[in-house]
Amino acid sequence: MPRERLTQHRCFHLAITLIWAEVIIHAGLGIVLIGWESGFHYYLLMFIPALFVSMQPRAAVVALAGLWSYYVSLHLLMWFVEPLQPIAPGALLGVYLFNLSVVFAMFGYLSFFYLTMVTAANRKLRRMATTDSLTGLFNRRHMTYLQRRCQRVSGD
């Protein structure tokens, strides 16, 4: 790997690590400060699909077990410890609805992104499977398929 590309690769991994750390710490602090009912724990659920997209399966399972342990530990902690900075019920509801809305929007965007990527990949694969890469014309297999389809439609 060229030196510049290696530096970019390291910067990318550092950025991802910092984002993960910020969200995990942010969720933990939000829960400990104002309580489980604030909805900060929903941010941790966003990592589940990200783990399996960004890591090897074995590493993703290990990271998922760690994330689950952290999530459950925070939940159990809040059974025994009162929030450090409780807020009024109306404000708590507002924070909860905000956090829920943000995570809902993030999951919606993630689903849209995934659907767009899969659709584009399928389109590219279909084009590669039906055309000759040198000439850009339909290949023999696709021409045979089109001929059979026309025969079925015409009833021959």
Side-chain angles (χ1 to χ4, degrees), residues 28-98:
L29 284 175
I31 290 167
V32 170
L33 289 175
I34 61 176
W36 186 260
E37 295 79 19
S38 63
F40 281 101
H41 58 283
Y42 292 134
Y43 290 101
L44 298 174
L45 299 177
M46 287 299 304
F47 285 124
I48 295 170
L51 289 172
F52 290 96
V53 170
S54 65
M55 296 179 163
Q56 296 294 322
R58 179 171 283 152
V61 168
V62 170
L64 182 64
L67 181 64
W68 177 82
S69 299
Y70 182 67
Y71 189 93
V72 169
S73 297
L74 283 172
H75 189 62
L76 291 175
L77 175 69
M78 296 316 294
W79 279 8
F80 302 106
V81 176
E82 290 293 319
L84 299 177
Q85 294 291 321
I87 58 176
L92 185 61
L93 177 62
V95 170
Y96 172 80
L97 290 174
F98 175 79

Side-chain angles (χ1 to χ4, degrees), residues 46 111 119 129 131:
M46 287 299 304
S111 299
T119 302
T131 58

Side-chain angles (χ1 to χ4, degrees), residues 68-144:
W68 177 82
S69 299
Y70 182 67
Y71 189 93
V72 169
S73 297
L74 283 172
H75 189 62
L76 291 175
L77 175 69
M78 296 316 294
W79 279 8
F80 302 106
V81 176
E82 290 293 319
L84 299 177
Q85 294 291 321
I87 58 176
L92 185 61
L93 177 62
V95 170
Y96 172 80
L97 290 174
F98 175 79
N99 288 331
L100 182 63
S101 299
V102 169
V103 171
F104 194 89
M106 290 167 67
F107 267 120
Y109 176 76
L110 180 65
S111 299
F112 175 74
F113 178 76
Y114 177 75
L115 178 65
T116 303
M117 295 302 294
V118 168
T119 302
N122 280 337
R123 203 174 296 126
K124 184 176 180 180
L125 286 172
R126 191 176 306 114
R127 186 175 55 252
M128 289 171 62
T130 59
T131 58
D132 178 73
S133 61
L134 183 61
T135 64
L137 300 173
F138 288 138
N139 60 22
R140 194 183 98 198
R141 181 183 304 120
H142 189 64
M143 292 301 286
T144 304

